[in-house]
Amino acid sequence: MADQRKERTTTALLQAAEALFRDRSVDDVTVEQIAESAGVAVGSIYNHFGSKAGLHAALVERALQADRDFMDLTYGSAGSPVEQIQAAAEQYLAFYLAHPDHFRMLAFPDPPGRYAAGRELSERLARSVDEQNQRLVDAIRRGIAAGELRAVDPDHVATVLWAAWNGIISLAWRPDALRRDHAQLRELLETATDVIADGLRTRATPGRTRRPGRPPGRPSRPSA
């Protein structure tokens, strides 16, 4: 019973903090506001997470794990390096559609703030995101080694792809006529990734023959 109560309190605090951090920076939200939104005592934040910074860190780790789960569907599948690059774009969009707040937390993090804990978390977040991007770098390297891709700088290309995907997905947040819905985001991501992938291919490499992001045997995209 005590474990169930602890789990309910932890979940309530994480959900309340995530909702409050959606529109305000971590520094602008107080522990009292989080506790009130979660319907628990302020002391629960310290009992379960040690501090507001600890609660924020738990949220970030949950977002990182969700991102890993989606990327595992890409890099754990069969397919050529180019097909994995295309699959990564599709799974990145699936991650956003399933967890938009988590996506924002990783792609467009808040400034670290004035406290050491915030700076440490910011550095850890950057390292973790970079570790995930290294999987994309490795796919590009394999393509180069196999003679499928031109001899490019894998780190630079991976950064270009990641930044392009973030920029395209962020169009969903625009309040004006430039906003794009989910179907349009998917089309734009496929176009951008396809253009870059085609530019990376060597002349001897045959063109894509299947829909982007669908290598044989890869698990289907989670529903939005």
Side-chain angles (χ1 to χ4, degrees), residues 64-110:
L64 287 167
Q65 185 57 56
D67 182 40
R68 289 187 202 105
D69 291 343
F70 280 91
M71 290 300 104
D72 284 348
L73 295 177
T74 291
Y75 299 110
S77 66
S80 71
V82 170
E83 288 168 340
Q84 286 196 337
I85 292 169
Q86 292 162 338
E90 185 174 333
Q91 287 299 337
Y92 200 44
L93 176 61
F95 166 55
Y96 163 72
L97 294 177
H99 305 285
D101 289 334
H102 289 172
F103 173 85
R104 285 187 190 228
M105 202 175 295
L106 303 186
F108 302 98
D110 283 339

Side-chain angles (χ1 to χ4, degrees), residues 25-73:
S25 71
V26 176
D27 283 348
D28 289 339
V29 176
T30 67
V31 291
E32 289 80 10
Q33 290 167 333
I34 297 171
E36 181 180 0
S37 179
V40 301
V42 171
S44 297
I45 294 176
Y46 299 100
N47 291 337
H48 292 273
F49 299 101
S51 64
K52 182 176 67 172
L55 174 55
H56 184 215
L59 274 177
V60 169
E61 183 51 47
R62 191 164 71 161
L64 287 167
Q65 185 57 56
D67 182 40
R68 289 187 202 105
D69 291 343
F70 280 91
M71 290 300 104
D72 284 348
L73 295 177

Side-chain angles (χ1 to χ4, degrees), residues 70 94 97-98 186 220-224:
F70 280 91
L97 294 177
R186 181 167 287 112
S220 61
R221 179 178 62 249
S223 58

Side-chain angles (χ1 to χ4, degrees), residues 127-186:
R127 287 195 301 271
S128 297
V129 170
D130 186 57
E131 287 172 5
Q132 283 299 301
N133 286 345
Q134 284 302 311
R135 302 171 82 175
L136 182 57
V137 171
D138 290 342
I140 296 168
R141 284 203 179 105
R142 291 197 305 273
I144 295 171
E148 297 177 7
L149 304 181
R150 294 188 294 108
V152 295
D153 185 316
D155 291 282
H156 286 180
V157 172
T159 299
V160 167
L161 282 165
W162 173 69
W165 296 341
N166 285 339
I168 289 170
I169 292 173
S170 71
L171 292 174
W173 311 335
R174 292 190 66 93
D176 53 26
L178 296 179
R179 184 181 180 277
R180 296 294 185 268
D181 62 26
H182 295 167
Q184 291 169 322
L185 292 180
R186 181 167 287 112

